[in-house]
Structures are given as C-alpha cells and as structure tokens.
Amino acid sequence: MGFLKILFSNSRPIRKIGQFHASHITFFVFSSARLLSFPRFESTNILKQQSTKLAEIDDDCFLQVMDFPGGKVPITTQMKFIAESSEKRLPCYRVLDDDGYPIPGAIFEEASKELAVKMYSSMVTLQTMDTIFYEAQRQGRLSFYLTTAGEEAINIASAAALTLDDFVLPQYREVGVILWRGYPLQQVANQLFGNKFDFGKGRQMPCHHGSNELNYLTVSSPIATQIPQAAGIAYSLKMDGKEACAVTYFGDGSTSEGDFHAALNFAAVLDAPVVFICRNNGWAISTPINQQFRSDGIASKGQSYGIRSIRVDGNDALATYSAIRAAREMAIKEQKPILVEAMTYRVAHHSTSDDSTKYRPVEEIEHWKTAKSPISRFRKYLQINGWWSDENESELRGEIRKQVLQAIQAAEKVEKPSLTDLFTDVYDKMPSNLQEQVKFVKDAVKRSPKEYPSDVPI
Amino acid sequence: MAGIIGRTMATAKLSNLNKFLVGSRVSASRTYSSAAKEMTVRDALNSALDEEMSADPKVFVMGEEVGEYQGAYKITKGLLDKYGPERVLDTPITEAGFTGIGVGAAYYGLKPIIEFMTFNFSMQAIDHIINSAAKSNYMSAGQISVPIVFRGPNGAAAGVGAQHSQCYAAWYGACPGLKVLAPYSSEDARGLLKAAIRDPDPVVFLENELLYGESFPVSAEALDSSFSLPIGKAKAKREGKDVTITAFSKMVGYALKAAEILDKEGISAEVINLRSIRPLDRPAINASVRKTNRLVTVEEGFPQHGVGAEICASVVEESFEYLDAPVERITGADVPMPYAANLERLAVPQIEDIVRAAK
C-alpha cells in the first residue's frame, strides 16, 4: 500500500480581494466562496450530493477518496479511459406504437378526448397550412417559406403541455406553437406577406413570427442565439417568483454553436427554470447528424452540464406531451433547467431555397413521410378510441384548406406598411436625424410622385 | 538580450500595478478628505451604479469578476455586499453566454448592466449586441425593447498589446439601434452612465482604463442621485475661435493640454468633448466649425472608417463654405497596437500631434 496523499481543502470562506482559496471551486472563474459564506447562499446541495454518492460506491477499484476543488472524488489505481460512447445508446421514451396503440406498460399523461382532438386538429391545420404556403412560394406569391413537415407532433404536443405564461423562444420551425397559443391563420399570412397588419410591420423575412401577447419571442435568424436568451428570461422569471418557465426550441445543428454550450452551462449554474427542447430531425440543411457531432445525440450531453435530460420519440404526440408536461413541472418546482431531445425526421426540404433530394435518397424521405408520419399515428390513436372518423377527417381538411386559401387571398390584397414605418422603432423615441430623414423623404415624394411606388402608403 | 526584455517587461508590469495601487490609494484618500469636491472616474462610475441599483430593483450587474473580486478594475466594488448575489452576478468565462443571457433578461423586462472586461472581448459576443439587442426593437416593431447597458474599458491602456487595445467607438457607432457613449470626466461618467441605465434602448458605454484613476472636480448637482446627462449632446470643454478640436474619452484630456500649448502661441482652440458617439451631436460640431472655420478630429482608434471620418463627412456636407482649410484627422496608427512601450507611444496620438495638426 503506497503512501496516500489526501489533500485537505481550505474550508474557511475567503474574502480576500483577488484570491481564490475557497474549496469547492467549480471549474469556472465563478467564485465559490459564495457556496460557503452562509448568509448569502443556500446552495450547499453540491456538498450533500457528493457525500451521498460516495456512500453508494462499492466498486473494488475505489479504495479511498481524495479532495479536490469541486468535491471529493473516489480514486482508482486502474488507468481506465472512459469510452467515447457508451455501449448502449440512451433509450427513447415512447407511448404509442406505429399503429397508434398505447404500448402495454407505457407510463404517460392522459389526454382527454377534447384535448386530443384539439391537438390532432391543430396538427392537421399546421400541415395543411404549410403545404399551401409552400406552394404559394413556388408560385411566386411569397419570397420564402419553411415548413414543419414531419415535426407537427413536436410543435403541437409540446405547445399543449405548456401554459400561456411560459415564455417561448423559438428557432424557426415552431409556428405550430404560436398557432396553438391563438395566433390566427390570417396573422400567419399577414406576416408572410409583410402587410400592414403584420405585428412585425413588414420588417422581417417570412416565417419570423412573434407576439408579445402570446409570450412568443420574435424569430431571429442567427442560429442558437435564443438558447442563452432563454436562460436569461428564465432568470427573470425566477427573480419575479413566477410559476412559469422559459421554453426554447432548437435543432440538432444548433447544438454545435458556442451559444448552446454557454447557455446550458450557465442555466445549470444559475438554477434557471428553463426547458431546452432539441428537435433532432437528423439534418441541418445538408449536414447529417453524424457530421454534426459524435456524441450520442443531444440528450447525452445534458449530464455534462449537470442537467436532467430525456430522449423522447418526437413523432409520438402523446409521449411528447407527457414528457414536456413533466419537464415543465420539474423546471418550475425545482427551479432548474431540463433538456428534452425529441427525435424526429425533417420530411421536407430545409426551406424553399433547398432541394434535399440532392443530398439524401428520395426513398428515405418517402418512408418518413408516410410510414412514420406523426399525424397518421395520432389519428390512428384517436380512431381506436372512437374519437375520430373519416368524415371528421375530410371535413376538417376541407375546412382548413378553405381558410388558408382565404387567408392568403386576403393578406395579398392588404396594403403594405407605410413609409414612416421604415424609420420607427429603431430606438424607443425617433431621434432627430431620423425625423429629418422622414421629412426629407416625404418632401421628395411630394416633388416627384410618379417615381414613388403606388402600393406603399405614406 | 533576454535579460533586458525581462527587465522592461517587469518594469512595464510593475508600473501598471503601481498605477492601479496609486489610483486606488489616491481615490481612497481623496474621497475621505474632500467629499464633494473631487472624484475619480472609478468612484463616479461606482456611485452611479450604486444609486441606480438602489433606485430600481430591476437593475442588475453581470460580468466576469464583478462580484467577489469587486470588479476587474474595481468599478463594481462593494456592490455584491450591498445587493447580494442575485443582483451582482459573477459569470463563467463566456462573453457570448452572458451577453445572450443578459439580452434575454432584458427582453423580459429586467435591466442588465453587462460588463466586458475590455471591449476587445465584446467581439466574442458581438452577434448578441448587434443582432439580438440593437436590432430587436426594430425587427419586432416595438414589441421587444432591450433596456440593456454594455460597459467596460475601451481603447488602449498601457502595454497590453494588440488584442487588448482596440477602440470600438467606430464599429458600434455605425450600428442603428444602439446608443454609444464615451465619457471623459467624472461628471460625464456619472451623468452618462445614469442616463444609459435609465434609457430603454441598448447602450454601449465605452470607458477608459487609464481614466479610472484620474480625479476630476464634480459639482454638487452632479453628486445628486437624480443627476443625469442628456444622451446625444456634446460639450464644449474650452471655448475658442481659431480651430475646433473634437475628441472623446481620454483624448479630451490630450486635446485640452494641446489647447493650452496652442494658447501660448496665440492660437485659440475650442475643444469639444463629444460624450456621445451615437447619436453624434452634429449640430454642436457644425456650429463650432462655423465659428472657427477649422477642424481637427482626435481619436485613439484606427483611421479608416473612424469617428473622425464621420465627423469630417458631416462637416463637409453641412458646413463646407465655412471651412478655411481641409479637416485634419488625428487617429491611432493603422497597425495593430504594438506592445513595446516606445512603439506603443508612436501608435497612439500624443499631444504634440494635436498641436502640430492645429497649426
């Protein structure tokens, strides 16, 4: 038996400026004297967790424990590198099988007939709307569109599991969430056409929806920026003591951004009540996930940040609904972040600027579109319960189709935002230089009215 | 050879440390003995933060070393003790992370003050400053306001090399949606920081490390907790009639000294402390040039697309007939900041440069 060196930590709270001698410093610059100076902080949980973990260790290799900044660690004399991936991948939580039957023994949150039918109708609305708007872009009536094809269950089921107080920070493939919250179809069309009824006053590209009233942050194009912002909003909710959480969506590709890492790390450190929902749909435009990361998906990353996580079948509306309900409850009650990885497949092209048949086989797309469709799976579940019939189906689809077409026709005819709206909202109050410019432009229009476009009001 | 380098480096480091110690000692003694008369910029900023945090519970400070360490440059000294860890947050080393989080908090209604250890590090978070903060009010059509302040030391310090010495006034000043301020004196620091914190728009607040320890007289009015200075207004620090010299931050001090030298030679220089880079006080600058007919702009930053270039364009566009001579721009050298003390001195404007240009 060799001579064992056990390092003792300095357990006095140190308040000397410029020096870190406190024990249990985590591996950030974040000073952990806070953990020990009692009047300010209560999170000695880490200390308690470490000591209980030790009691459970009974592996032969672990002879003793050592103290290091961050806590006690068991030591081993066997030099073992942890494998880059575990033998078994993280299991995926699922409730309904491909034919819509609840799998025996499945644990899930029951949805009433009313809720289930509403969820299904919304999924159909989302799909119909997407198809028609996509076609409208192809016809040249819209400049751009991206669909949620294949991810309708993630959109609607997760939205159904939240309350209106929960603040949503979307990426761009979550229009179903704002629809569920009450954003009218007409408003979707208004935003796409950038007319004067658009909440965004025609300032954004299509699909960049947002609504203060519905607690849905305006979509922002740079990838993953919404993730640390979600931690910030969660922190605000925490400081307000609200019984609500921040919920943010992002794709598999977003997890490569630095913002993802910083946000998860920080949210865990801040104990922020945020639910991180990753839509792992297998593709980031043309980059498949095996070129995006080498980890076991995204759920496996949660533990690295100290975040509780789950992998769920994103094409199973009931499983997604149950998982998000549980995640939300934990985030709020325990005031900590939760990570949910929803597995799915991006059935459509990335957007109208993409042709995915160029980089993936058409058979693969077809397979996921038909055999694995989340909408047909949930419909089967409804039909098994006797809550839905073929008549309901054709009636609904016909009705929605009509509504969407009407919305497009109406939105197309509405005036665009006025010229003055070019200059407002840059700041809270319009500064003098912009006021001058408004006046200048209006004078110029008065002098040469023929050169001014007829469809832009002043 | 190595020995000589070692010695120069040691003395450089020592002199920085010395400066810091002298600064804090001086400020300590100053604030003790002459309470209302003089104040260092450091204390001015600290008192402004303290008062605004006390007045509005939504205001909070976030950044590296702002809490336990009392601030990398001691600007946030005492705030952690007074307001607790929920309002003074020490962050992990992730500018992108804490800037994003700060912007998120601002979206929801808190008023964060994000400290960058220097604005050089803000480049790691610049997407959040521009795309998430500056543009949000516009892109959301007024639905999302971002009442956030980004503050920290900007520009060259002493002997810190290229990656710690860049001036960001021109970069941030170009961006619609942001307000950019650059205080010089303690009164500027107090008044402008208070205005920035109260402002509903995102504000970039460019301080200067070498000014932190400098003491300035402050009026009784400036010491009042409701004091604030208007954003977008420059101040004529010295009246004159022969030439206008515009400057901001540390260069205001240099310009004033240059003006004294010029005065002895019979040239009366008007020195304008810009205070606000965006919005730029074009009326004040133009009015001054129309009076003196000559303009010298001074800044520490790089020459191309700098603040001086914008001022020059503004004056040429609006007061062309009044100019008796071409505008002279004094700027930092068009090179990344060298480290060696002699080279650094050559790369940054000196008082002689301003005097020479004015003549």
Side-chain angles (χ1 to χ4, degrees), chain A residues 14-15 17-18 20 28-31 33-34 40-41 167 199-201 203-204 210-212 217-218 222 225 228-229 231-233 235-237 239-240 242 259 262 265-266 270 421-422 424-429, chain B residues 58 62 65 68-70 74 80-81 85-87 89-94 96-98 100-101 103-105 107-108 110 127-128 131-132 134 137-144 175-179 200-201 278:
Chain A
I14 297 294
R15 317 243 280 133
I17 294 167
F20 299 104
F28 315 119
V29 170
F30 175 86
S31 164
R34 286 164 62 178
R40 289 199 218 112
F41 234 93
F167 200 94
F199 292 160
K201 295 185 194 163
R203 305 234 175 96
Q204 293 255 37
S211 163
N212 241 359
L217 185 75
T218 308
T225 54
Q229 289 164 7
I233 290 188
Y235 192 73
S236 302
L237 288 169
M239 285 188 71
D240 278 349
K242 273 215 161 109
D259 272 347
N265 185 37
F266 215 148
L270 284 177
D421 278 330
L422 180 64
T424 52
D425 303 317
V426 182
Y427 294 100
D428 192 54
K429 296 190 181 52
Chain B
K58 288 190 180 300
M62 182 153 70
E65 311 297 320
E68 283 289 338
Y69 196 73
Q70 309 296 315
K74 304 295 173 265
L80 176 64
D81 277 339
E86 285 196 340
R87 294 186 65 196
L89 288 114
D90 274 322
T91 68
I93 307 176
T94 164
F98 64 74
I101 286 172
V103 172
Y107 283 171
Y108 203 73
L110 291 182
D127 179 70
H128 276 295
N131 279 332
S132 301
N137 199 49
Y138 187 76
M139 292 198 309
S140 71
Q143 292 184 87
I144 303 171
C175 199
L178 280 182
K179 290 182 176 158
D201 294 310
R278 186 176 182 102

Side-chain angles (χ1 to χ4, degrees), chain A residues 9 23 36 41 55 87-88 90 105-106 156-157 202 247-248 305 307 328 339 346 376 401 405 407 409 435 454:
Chain A
S9 62
S23 68
L36 297 174
F41 234 93
E87 280 163 24
K88 282 205 270 187
L90 280 180
I156 301 298
V247 179
T248 183
Y305 297 107
I307 294 182
R328 177 187 179 271
L339 174 63
R346 193 197 75 209
S376 26
R401 191 181 159 75
L405 289 172
Q409 277 158 19
Q435 284 172 15
S454 54

Side-chain angles (χ1 to χ4, degrees), chain A residues 70-111:
Chain A
K72 292 177 163 46
V73 284
I75 61 169
T76 171
T77 54
Q78 304 309 303
M79 182 177 64
K80 250 188 4 184
F81 282 74
I82 304 170
E84 62 270 26
S85 53
S86 35
E87 280 163 24
K88 282 205 270 187
R89 290 196 60 185
L90 280 180
C92 183
Y93 167 59
R94 177 192 237 223
V95 170
L96 300 175
D97 65 18
D98 281 342
D99 297 316
Y101 286 93
I103 301 169
I107 299 168
F108 61 98
E109 175 101 22
E110 299 262 1

